[in-house]
Amino acid sequence: MRVAVIGAGVIGLSTALCIHERYHGLVPSLEVEVYADRSTPHTTSDGAAGLWQPYLSDRGNLQETLWNKETFDYLLGHLGSPAAKEMGLFLISGYNLYAAVPDPSWKNIVLGFRNLTPKELELFPGYSYRWFNTALMLEGRSYLPWLTQRLMQRGVKFFQKKVESFQEGVDVVINCTGVRAGELQPDPELQPGRGQVIKVLAPWVKHFIITHDIGSGIYNSPYVIPGGINQHGNWNEENNAQDHKTIWENCCRLLPTLQKAKIVEEWSGLRPARPRVRLERETVRHGQFQAEVIHNYGHGGFGITIHWGCAMAAARLLGTILQEQPLAGPPQPRL
Amino acid sequence: MAAPKVAVVGAGVIGLSTALCIVETCPSCSVTVLSEQFSPNTTSDVAAGMLIPHTYPGTPIHVQKQWFKETFTYLFAISNSAEASEAGIHLVSGWQVFKNTPKEELPFWSDVVLGFRPMSEAELQKFPQHQFGQAFTTLKCDCPPYLLWLEKRLKATGVQMYTRKVADLWELHSEYNIVVNCTGIGAHQLVGDKKLFPVRGQVLKVNAPWVKNFIRDGDGITYIYPGIHRITIGGTREKENWNLSPDPGTTKDIFDRCCSLEPSLQGAQDIKVKVGLRPSRQCVRLQREVLSQGGVKLLVVHNYGHGAGGFSVHRGTAKEAARLVRECIAALQGTSSRAKL
């Protein structure tokens, strides 16, 4: 039983790990392989700040809120473990500032969610909705290598290869191709949400600060990552000087101390934006070949926030497929 | 009279902030800082510099609260300005956790720090050995940056600073009109204050940049305070112990206690051990004194004995000390005008 995971961002790697952890002992013939043309540190996930926080509006997707919660609880459980540092996982507190919005779906998932007190409001004049909470940071640049190591230790094979179609001769394909999923199967609902971030060295900033109305936010990690331009529909992966100026000015206005921070890197990426995550099973037929495909893409700007809940859901879908298969299936041509 | 000449003895956080307050409120004064040690070798450099007050049994609570409030307000403004990183002042959020619920649930400073509230059940789960906790956001003064920033501001106003061990305040009477005694634990010997005693503190400064929140055990002895580049973890409170050498057994004990509060510290790198002697007293000695010897008078303002709470109240006590210096000047001017009659 060969399962090919396509994509080695946070979604691909975590789905591969979840599947292997769950079924390797139960299905001795299970072989999990990961195919990707880009891997860490060149994936979209690597540019993410890694702050656990869903969008303000749940867009009516209760299922996504549940997956977010599952991810938060899973990560919280790992906080005290020796692996936390290697995973790039830690607690972080901070501020959310918005012009006009009700309490978010995740207010009871994070820790210590509360409104700001009058004195704290002095820090951020001009915003009517202001919250404080403690959440988690999971840095892509640490987490992806950690996932890769766990997978390699388990004997999962990696192939650097651009997969052109689903008909590649495996039993199950897990499609975690993120923003480029449209190249494997057209999906008009999937659009790139361009993001540009500036990485600076400002180790005295211990909080995250996110605003939504002027499109600037500050995420905290070993480097503070201010930034956050969300340009819908722009496929340009190059850094843009005008965006840099806008981001920088907005962030320095928000946090005057940043003026003295040293800029160390600039990065642009394309969020795989979709009205809802595509997480479902599909049987793809072409001639005499047939493959079961599990789609797991379209996580927008909250991939890290939702990844484990989705990985578990994808694993459940695989479980259904495994139950349907006869124990010894017909031989499939090799990739 | 000519510009009053003021000597501030001591260049820790108390000496430097007091000198600055004097310069700010007394532009006609000529201020000089004399100290045996300057940053990074003062007691202040060992401290984490967290704004969480220590309670002085001998000082009225409303006075301590006023000192803390003045200090907090002053530093809060700096933390929100472009100077914050140079001054080493930054906001930090975290938790104070108790194994047993404390008698007083609301400390006197709970409405001065930001966002003070009890911890939720979910937050307490991270601390299985503790039953109760408080969450809040406060300020941290990183040393050496803060002391260097104070030195820079002093130099910009023309204040001279000299490395000099003052063995006796009378040494200074011919050069200075007023002496401000900010010698911390040094006052034990300098002015023979037997009510002043050291409380030895050993701390570790470690590299663990993923720790963004502070954690403090309510007993005040075990704590984790994230600074700009390093985390200060500690500590000890050893009364009447004058030993400035690090103790390896204590280092291990501190590390173990802090790892049980924050397991990820196991991965901390590059551990540096430091020791400081908190200049402890029932109450801060903040008062004027007129010393007399053979018909000669020396006006002294004492500002020492801040124990575990120096950073938390430094600006408040510095302002009070500056006020006492102005009283001294008024007294001197009164004397000299009488002499002219």
Side-chain angles (χ1 to χ4, degrees):
Chain A
M1 161 66 64
R2 284 179 68 208
V3 175
V5 175
I6 312 179
V10 67
I11 300 300
L13 296 182
S14 59
T15 304
L17 186 63
C18 189
I19 286 171
H20 205 270
E21 282 178 349
R22 206 173 271 208
Y23 297 115
H24 178 71
L26 298 174
V27 182
S29 67
L30 182 71
E31 273 180 44
V32 177
E33 298 164 350
V34 175
Y35 293 80
D37 59 356
R38 292 194 203 174
S39 50
T40 182
H42 304 293
T43 71
T44 307
S45 308
D46 288 286
L51 177 68
W52 187 100
Q53 185 166 299
Y55 286 168
L56 283 190
S57 155
D58 66 5
R59 311 179 298 175
N61 295 324
L62 183 58
Q63 179 63 257
E64 289 178 9
T65 301
L66 291 172
W67 288 334
N68 289 332
K69 178 170 168 33
E70 286 175 342
T71 306
F72 191 88
D73 292 341
Y74 166 75
L75 293 174
L76 202 62
H78 273 74
L79 257 190
S81 83
K85 178 193 169 196
E86 224 190 303
M87 286 165 80
L89 175 67
F90 52 90
L91 277 175
I92 183 165
S93 304
Y95 306 93
N96 275 282
L97 315 169
Y98 301 103
V101 91
D103 283 355
S105 64
W106 40 269
K107 74 181 235 207
N108 293 321
I109 303 177
V110 296
L111 302 176
F113 182 94
R114 60 173 175 83
N115 290 318
L116 294 193
T117 60
K119 255 204 304 187
E120 289 172 309
L121 295 178
E122 285 172 36
L123 280 170
F124 310 112
Y127 293 94
S128 4
Y129 284 82
R130 292 158 276 200
W131 310 317
F132 177 94
N133 65 270
T134 302
L136 291 163
M137 194 77 108
L138 182 62
E139 296 168 323
R141 294 226 178 149
S142 297
Y143 190 45
L144 264 53
W146 184 84
L147 285 169
T148 306
Q149 267 211 0
R150 299 281 82 67
L151 287 164
M152 283 180 166
Q153 274 170 5
R154 290 173 153 270
V156 170
K157 296 207 168 31
F158 283 74
F159 298 91
Q160 162 130 34
K161 180 183 159 151
K162 186 172 167 72
V163 171
E164 306 287 358
S165 79
F166 293 130
Q167 284 81 45
E168 302 266 2
V170 295
D171 301 295
V172 182
V173 173
I174 322 250
N175 176 17
C176 305
T177 49
V179 76
R180 287 179 290 149
E183 291 173 24
L184 277 176
Q185 188 188 85
D187 181 350
E189 292 192 289
L190 179 68
Q191 291 287 314
R194 184 173 176 282
Q196 181 162 325
V197 297
I198 304 172
K199 294 197 183 181
V200 304
L201 202 52
W204 61 90
V205 179
K206 304 289 179 191
H207 296 93
F208 64 82
I209 307 175
I210 303 173
T211 68
H212 246 229
D213 51 352
I214 53 174
S216 84
I218 300 178
Y219 303 91
N220 206 323
S221 84
Y223 300 158
V224 168
I225 309 180
I229 290 247
N230 197 339
Q231 287 173 356
H232 214 70
N234 185 338
W235 280 99
N236 187 357
E237 280 195 74
E238 296 297 307
N239 294 318
N240 176 296
Q242 180 56 47
D243 290 342
H244 171 104
K245 189 165 176 299
T246 309
I247 296 169
W248 189 246
E249 283 172 3
N250 286 339
C251 289
C252 286
R253 199 178 320 132
L254 188 59
L255 199 60
T257 80
L258 277 185
Q259 291 166 36
K260 299 282 171 77
K262 184 174 143 202
I263 296 179
V264 291
E265 200 189 316
E266 195 118 14
W267 184 91
S268 294
L270 304 171
R271 298 175 185 84
R274 208 172 179 274
R276 70 183 50 74
V277 172
R278 188 177 183 198
L279 182 41
E280 63 190 2
R281 187 183 152 183
E282 186 186 3
T283 305
V284 171
R285 288 185 182 82
H286 188 78
Q288 43 170 194
F289 293 119
Q290 170 179 310
E292 293 300 320
V293 179
I294 297 174
H295 297 288
N296 186 5
Y297 69 85
H299 305 80
F302 50 91
I304 291 194
T305 298
I306 204 173
H307 78 277
W308 194 252
C310 289
M312 293 199 289
R316 285 193 289 276
L317 286 175
L318 179 63
T320 319
I321 295 174
L322 290 173
Q323 278 185 304
E324 292 165 5
Q325 297 281 340
L327 281 174
Q332 299 279 1
R334 299 257 118 189
L335 253 168
Chain B
M1 62 180 288
K5 297 218 266 314
V6 181
V8 174
V9 186
V13 68
I14 300 302
L16 296 182
S17 58
T18 301
L20 193 59
C21 275
I22 295 170
V23 160
E24 285 169 0
T25 59
C26 215
S28 63
C29 284
S30 153
V31 179
T32 307
V33 174
L34 308 170
S35 185
E36 190 183 2
Q37 303 288 0
F38 283 81
S39 179
N41 299 314
T42 70
T43 306
S44 305
D45 290 285
V46 180
M50 284 295 284
L51 257 66
I52 299 177
H54 168 78
T55 303
Y56 303 103
T59 306
I61 293 289
H62 75 272
V63 173
Q64 298 186 48
K65 186 166 177 178
Q66 182 58 24
W67 289 341
F68 181 54
K69 207 165 165 190
E70 277 174 342
T71 307
F72 197 92
T73 305
Y74 172 70
L75 295 174
F76 187 64
I78 300 173
S79 77
N80 204 25
S81 77
E83 300 222 46
S85 57
E86 198 196 331
I89 313 283
H90 55 99
L91 281 175
V92 60
S93 299
W95 307 282
Q96 176 165 241
V97 290
F98 299 84
K99 290 193 169 130
N100 303 298
T101 308
K103 287 190 308 272
E104 39 140 61
E105 287 209 10
L106 276 187
F108 74 81
W109 42 268
S110 65
D111 60 344
V112 179
V113 298
L114 304 177
F116 186 96
R117 59 173 172 81
M119 281 166 75
S120 62
E121 282 301 319
E123 288 173 303
L124 274 168
Q125 281 183 12
K126 190 168 134 49
F127 306 102
Q129 294 165 354
H130 295 77
Q131 294 188 7
F132 177 78
Q134 298 151 342
F136 55 95
T137 301
T138 186
L139 291 159
K140 187 179 189 296
C141 292
D142 269 40
C143 275
Y146 186 53
L147 294 190
L148 293 178
W149 181 79
L150 286 172
E151 283 181 28
K152 188 172 163 189
R153 294 192 74 178
L154 286 168
K155 283 181 185 152
T157 66
V159 170
Q160 303 284 323
M161 292 189 261
Y162 299 107
T163 302
R164 173 174 169 176
K165 181 171 167 69
V166 175
D168 187 327
L169 291 182
W170 280 106
E171 285 171 31
L172 307 173
H173 88 274
S174 57
E175 302 162 71
Y176 301 99
N177 306 112
I178 301 164
V179 173
V180 186
N181 173 17
C182 303
T183 52
I185 195 63
H188 182 89
Q189 178 145 45
L190 182 61
V191 297
D193 185 346
K194 297 293 178 261
K195 293 191 207 157
L196 179 71
F197 57 95
V199 174
R200 182 183 182 279
Q202 182 162 321
V203 296
L204 313 182
K205 307 251 180 185
V206 310
N207 208 334
W210 58 88
V211 177
K212 308 282 185 192
N213 293 295
F214 74 81
I215 305 171
R216 177 180 204 265
D217 191 305
D219 65 13
I221 306 184
T222 306
Y223 48 82
I224 297 161
Y225 294 139
I228 295 176
H229 297 294
R230 296 185 151 259
I231 317 289
T232 301
I233 68 175
T236 65
R237 290 196 172 191
E238 302 159 89
K239 276 190 179 175
E240 301 286 3
N241 186 336
W242 289 88
N243 188 355
L244 279 169
S245 304
D247 175 77
T250 303
T251 296
K252 184 176 183 317
D253 176 59
I254 291 171
F255 195 72
D256 289 343
R257 278 188 275 128
C258 290
C259 285
S260 81
L261 272 186
E262 177 54 66
S264 74
L265 280 175
Q266 292 284 351
Q269 302 280 315
D270 194 29
I271 297 174
K272 291 188 162 55
V273 190
K274 299 216 169 203
V275 177
L277 305 177
R278 299 176 185 84
S280 308
R281 218 171 171 276
Q282 284 285 307
C283 59
V284 176
R285 188 176 182 199
L286 190 42
Q287 62 187 184
R288 287 171 54 194
E289 190 182 8
V290 180
L291 300 181
S292 270
Q293 208 180 67
V296 185
K297 287 198 192 338
L298 179 61
L299 297 185
V300 179
V301 171
H302 297 287
N303 187 9
Y304 68 85
H306 300 71
F311 278 90
S312 297
V313 297
H314 76 274
R315 178 77 179 176
T317 56
K319 283 176 81 167
E320 175 63 14
R323 195 185 65 76
L324 293 174
V325 167
R326 286 200 304 283
E327 278 184 11
C328 290
I329 293 172
L332 279 175
Q333 285 169 337
T335 314
S336 66
S337 38
R338 275 201 294 279
K340 286 191 181 100
L341 275 171

